[in-house]
Amino acid sequence: MSRVVLVGALDTKGVEYAYVRDLLADAGLRPLLVDAGVRGEPRIRPDVTRSEVARAAGRDHREIAALATRAEALAAMAEGVAALLGSLREAGEVDAAFGMGGSGALSVLAPGFRSLPLGVPKMIVTTMASGDTRPHVGASDLLLVPSIVDIAGLNTVSRFVLERSVAMLAAQLGRPVPSATGGDGKPMVAASMFGVTTAGVSRACRVLESRDLDVLVFHANGLGGRTLESLAEDGWLSGVLDLTTTELADDLAGGVASAGPGRLVAAGRRGTPQVVSTGALDVVNFGAPETVPEAYRGRRLYSHNATATLMRTDPREAAVLGARLGAKLSAARGPVALLLPTGGTSALSEPGGPFYWPEADAALEQALLESLAPHVTVVRSPVALNTPAFGEQAARLLLARLAGKPAAGSREP
């Protein structure tokens, strides 16, 4: 019987949580009711008290309740919820997690729910399910369900929403959680792609799929890179074809597609085989033209569409990016190859393209090569990155590393 951890503030939402607890039990599930409230008295008796939640984070609940602001108290309880869920997960006592509430509930529940592995159902019924949910969902499979009405008592609409939400959760628990070998038993590999690298990456994916690999493609828009890193960190991936590393440029220059400083870290830390390239490191992403920062208005800009304005990285930025990428590859514990295109890092920087700038490309390559450790294999490609020929070469390199050859540290022609 599946264990569903039901977490929330039982002082303000006690009636609603009692209703959901009973719905879960009626569905044949085992609810574990956790009180994450701060100041008021719980309206129903929990299985795990708020004091126990606080202790999970090494805190005393009385001290948390005495904090000066509500935000500080909620942040402290969020630490406790995350720690408690981690302990329960290690003990095999979390098959799913469920919560409900508004912005305060999201701030307490979402961090811990996000920490649960992919495939563990995690759901929050909330008034905050529309708009920009990225801060709450991140790179996880956390499901936010619109509550339609406020979580403030039971009525015809709230009962309907909660009943359907529990039914969705039960349906998810009736399906097996996918494994790292994929639903059909194929090893999974990840590939990073952007509009200006599509031709090369798509061809590489077709080659890998023809060799019976399950290829997951991630759009290099910030969230895609964070999701790739999350799956790599959790051990889902047998290999990574990271040809589109453009998110590093956004992280450096303040673009909208940054995946943060943790990009290109997880696979190397786990020793997962990688083939990496410089795809779209010539590009920094902004929104509509008016969103480009004033300091960049005189730079080389390209209108990708009405809501996407691209900026060309200059030689100074390219050198910094080369050094950062080289340091990340050098820290990898597993087999890693760097595939360098000689004809351009994206469709825009090929000869004759709007971002063609040989000096910037040279600065990128020089800094990159100077920062590489000896164990990183360097391979030059005679074509541009955004070509099928480049994709085929990249796929062959990854297949070789998945097969355990050639030896790390070699330099291939």
Side-chain angles (χ1 to χ4, degrees), residues 11 54 92 128 135 142 147 157 164 168 188 200 207 250 302 305-306 320 326 332 344 357 371:
D11 50 351
M128 306 296 292
L142 170 61
S147 62
V157 173
R164 288 297 179 93
M168 283 192 289
M188 285 194 287
V207 172
D250 283 75
Y302 177 79
N305 57 50
V320 174
W357 197 347
S371 61

Side-chain angles (χ1 to χ4, degrees), residues 235-300:
W236 285 80
L237 305 176
S238 298
V240 175
L241 190 73
D242 218 340
L243 302 184
T244 309
T245 48
T246 183
E247 289 154 316
L248 299 181
D250 283 75
D251 186 53
L252 172 66
V256 298
S258 171
R263 185 71 174 90
L264 284 142
V265 170
R269 184 162 52 220
R270 288 191 63 93
T272 304
Q274 302 176 83
V275 172
V276 180
S277 192
T278 54
L281 282 178
D282 56 324
V283 171
V284 178
N285 296 268
F286 296 104
E290 62 271 16
T291 68
V292 177
E294 185 66 34
Y296 293 147
R297 295 289 172 87
R299 295 283 295 274
R300 295 193 188 187

Side-chain angles (χ1 to χ4, degrees), residues 2-317:
S2 297
R3 168 71 85 183
V4 179
V5 181
L6 187 58
V7 193
L10 302 188
D11 50 351
T12 60
K13 303 285 187 288
V15 172
E16 298 87 341
Y17 271 93
Y19 186 69
V20 171
R21 178 194 58 194
D22 294 343
L23 288 175
L24 291 168
D26 291 343
L29 305 172
R30 288 192 302 145
L32 180 73
L33 185 59
V34 178
D35 182 17
V38 177
R39 293 192 171 94
E41 289 299 315
R43 300 176 65 181
I44 58 173
R45 183 175 180 176
D47 299 308
V48 179
T49 68
R50 59 186 60 181
S51 295
E52 292 174 287
V53 172
R55 282 199 298 272
R59 307 287 293 269
D60 186 295
H61 187 269
R62 291 169 297 184
E63 295 175 358
I64 293 175
L67 289 171
T69 67
R70 179 173 181 265
E72 291 177 300
L74 294 181
M77 291 304 288
E79 293 179 15
V81 169
L84 176 69
L85 286 173
S87 299
L88 290 171
R89 178 66 181 168
E90 290 180 6
E93 284 294 313
V94 182
D95 297 303
F98 188 99
M100 53 185 145
S103 59
L106 271 182
S107 70
V108 173
L109 304 181
F113 282 28
R114 288 196 306 267
S115 70
L116 295 172
L118 174 68
V120 174
K122 47 193 80 75
M123 181 184 298
I124 301 176
V125 179
T126 175
T127 56
M128 306 296 292
S130 61
D132 185 4
T133 61
R134 288 175 296 179
H136 309 300
V137 177
S140 74
D141 59 343
L142 170 61
L143 176 61
L144 301 184
V145 178
S147 62
I148 310 300
V149 295
D150 199 0
I151 310 293
L154 295 173
N155 52 59
T156 300
V157 173
S158 64
R159 286 191 181 93
F160 173 79
V161 171
L162 293 175
E163 289 167 5
R164 288 297 179 93
S165 298
V166 168
M168 283 192 289
L169 191 73
Q172 291 181 66
L173 286 167
R175 298 285 303 257
V177 175
S179 70
T181 56
D184 52 8
K186 298 179 181 179
M188 285 194 287
V189 298
S192 54
M193 188 166 74
F194 219 37
V196 293
T197 66
T198 297
V201 177
S202 294
R203 180 55 185 160
C205 293
R206 302 294 83 76
V207 172
L208 295 174
E209 288 168 350
S210 73
R211 299 295 293 271
D212 217 26
L213 295 172
D214 190 7
V215 183
L216 315 178
V217 180
F218 295 91
H219 193 57
N221 60 358
L223 178 59
R226 290 194 297 273
T227 306
L228 190 161
E229 295 296 318
S230 176
L231 290 178
E233 184 67 39
D234 290 341
W236 285 80
L237 305 176
S238 298
V240 175
L241 190 73
D242 218 340
L243 302 184
T244 309
T245 48
T246 183
E247 289 154 316
L248 299 181
D250 283 75
D251 186 53
L252 172 66
V256 298
S258 171
R263 185 71 174 90
L264 284 142
V265 170
R269 184 162 52 220
R270 288 191 63 93
T272 304
Q274 302 176 83
V275 172
V276 180
S277 192
T278 54
L281 282 178
D282 56 324
V283 171
V284 178
N285 296 268
F286 296 104
E290 62 271 16
T291 68
V292 177
E294 185 66 34
Y296 293 147
R297 295 289 172 87
R299 295 283 295 274
R300 295 193 188 187
L301 301 176
Y302 177 79
S303 179
H304 189 61
N305 57 50
T307 60
T309 305
L310 312 182
M311 181 183 77
R312 202 340 173 160
T313 48
D314 63 20
R316 182 194 63 81
E317 292 161 341

